[in-house]
Amino acid sequence: MIRKLLAVLLIINLTACAELQEIAKQLPQNGSLGNAEIASGLRQTLDFGIDKQVTKLTQTDGFYKNELVKILLPEELQKVDKALRDIGLSKLADEGLKVLNRAAEDAVKEATPIFVSAVKDITFADAKTILLGNDDAATQYLTNKTQTALYHKFNPVIKNSFSKVGADEIWNNLINKYNNIPFTNNVNPDLTDYVTGEALKGVYTMIAVEEKDIRTKLSSRTTDLLKKVFALQD
């Protein structure tokens, strides 16, 4: 009887140990996490943002029908838009807004490798601080470190896309029609510069969407590295 009792206690003990070990495996193992490993996790997060979110911008209406990033007219051109609509050219005004977004959609498709390279090259001086920061802390860090350089690389891509989607021709027509309206002041905006800036904002915005998902949803941490790194912020 005593042997049977000891055997039962042993089985219970072993079962409990196995369960404890299983629980332990699921607990954050943060003691060994260094800056380099955390930085790798942050880069992977930004890569996922490009792969899963920025690619959505390259589709037709990726900018135009996404309220988070839709490119609206700059203040100087809002009076152009209103004046053209007032004289019955609403359809042309609508097309003018749409092609700005089409140019951004086309340009992001061509420039995606630029963003991938920027993430690969970025160094996180204090990765743990960024990890424990706001929901978009890594994206903000990427923005601050890369925006100026990416602007200069992205601008010629936007310029090419303007021509490719016919935006330059449409806007030349729009602006000429507006400038010919009596009692208006002529405008000659740098639309390439404006759309470049707005398209970059759109890219960073969508990367931030993915970063927030990974930070707040366990189901979005689809790799062992992401699970390990972001367990620290939990």
Side-chain angles (χ1 to χ4, degrees):
M1 180 68 182
I2 294 175
R3 288 182 179 178
K4 288 183 178 179
L5 181 59
L6 289 173
V8 170
L9 289 173
L10 180 60
I11 291 171
I12 293 173
N13 186 51
L14 290 173
T15 302
C17 288
E19 290 177 350
L20 287 173
Q21 288 175 351
E22 188 61 31
I23 292 171
K25 288 179 183 177
Q26 299 176 23
L27 292 174
Q29 305 295 319
N30 298 320
S32 61
L33 281 183
N35 196 72
E37 192 167 15
I38 295 173
S40 294
L42 294 176
R43 286 192 202 93
Q44 190 170 95
T45 300
L46 298 175
D47 281 335
F48 274 38
I50 293 171
D51 185 55
K52 295 174 67 175
Q53 301 293 342
V54 174
T55 52
K56 294 177 183 178
L57 299 178
T58 68
Q59 302 168 8
T60 300
D61 291 329
F63 272 87
Y64 190 62
K65 290 188 177 179
N66 183 342
E67 293 303 319
L68 282 177
V69 298
K70 182 178 181 179
I71 298 175
L72 303 176
L73 293 178
E75 185 176 352
E76 184 182 11
L77 291 182
Q78 290 174 15
K79 61 183 180 181
V80 175
D81 182 86
K82 183 179 185 305
L84 292 176
R85 294 181 190 280
D86 287 345
I87 62 172
L89 295 177
S90 295
K91 186 175 181 180
L92 183 60
D94 289 339
E95 187 62 20
L97 180 59
K98 184 180 290 186
V99 291
L100 294 186
N101 287 271
R102 288 286 182 270
E105 291 156 11
D106 180 72
V108 171
K109 185 186 304 180
E110 297 297 322
T112 295
I114 295 175
F115 306 123
V116 172
S117 177
V119 170
K120 182 180 179 181
D121 293 341
I122 195 170
T123 58
F124 293 95
D126 189 351
K128 188 172 181 178
T129 298
I130 296 168
L131 176 66
L132 300 179
N134 296 329
D135 285 346
D136 65 344
T139 305
Q140 287 298 325
Y141 188 82
L142 176 70
T143 304
N144 292 334
K145 291 291 184 181
T146 65
Q147 190 167 29
T148 300
L150 286 183
Y151 174 90
H152 293 296
K153 291 181 180 179
F154 198 30
N155 187 266
V157 181
I158 286 283
K159 186 175 182 179
N160 181 64
S161 293
F162 255 63
S163 178
K164 186 176 177 181
V165 304
D168 48 2
E169 182 178 344
I170 288 172
W171 270 98
N172 283 336
N173 184 28
L174 273 165
I175 291 170
N176 285 336
K177 287 186 181 298
Y178 173 79
N179 288 343
N180 286 329
I181 297 174
F183 310 113
T184 59
N185 296 319
N186 287 3
V187 296
N188 187 28
D190 186 349
L191 285 173
T192 302
D193 174 77
Y194 174 73
V195 174
T196 299
E198 293 300 297
L200 275 177
K201 286 180 188 176
V203 168
Y204 290 125
T205 295
M206 296 310 293
I207 292 174
V209 167
E210 185 64 20
E211 179 184 352
K212 182 177 180 179
D213 274 353
I214 290 172
R215 285 182 179 273
T216 59
K217 299 177 184 176
L218 294 177
S219 59
S220 294
R221 301 171 191 174
T222 54
T223 70
D224 289 339
L225 179 61
L226 291 179
K227 290 173 185 175
K228 186 177 182 180
V229 169
F230 282 93
L232 180 61
Q233 66 136 46
D234 296 337

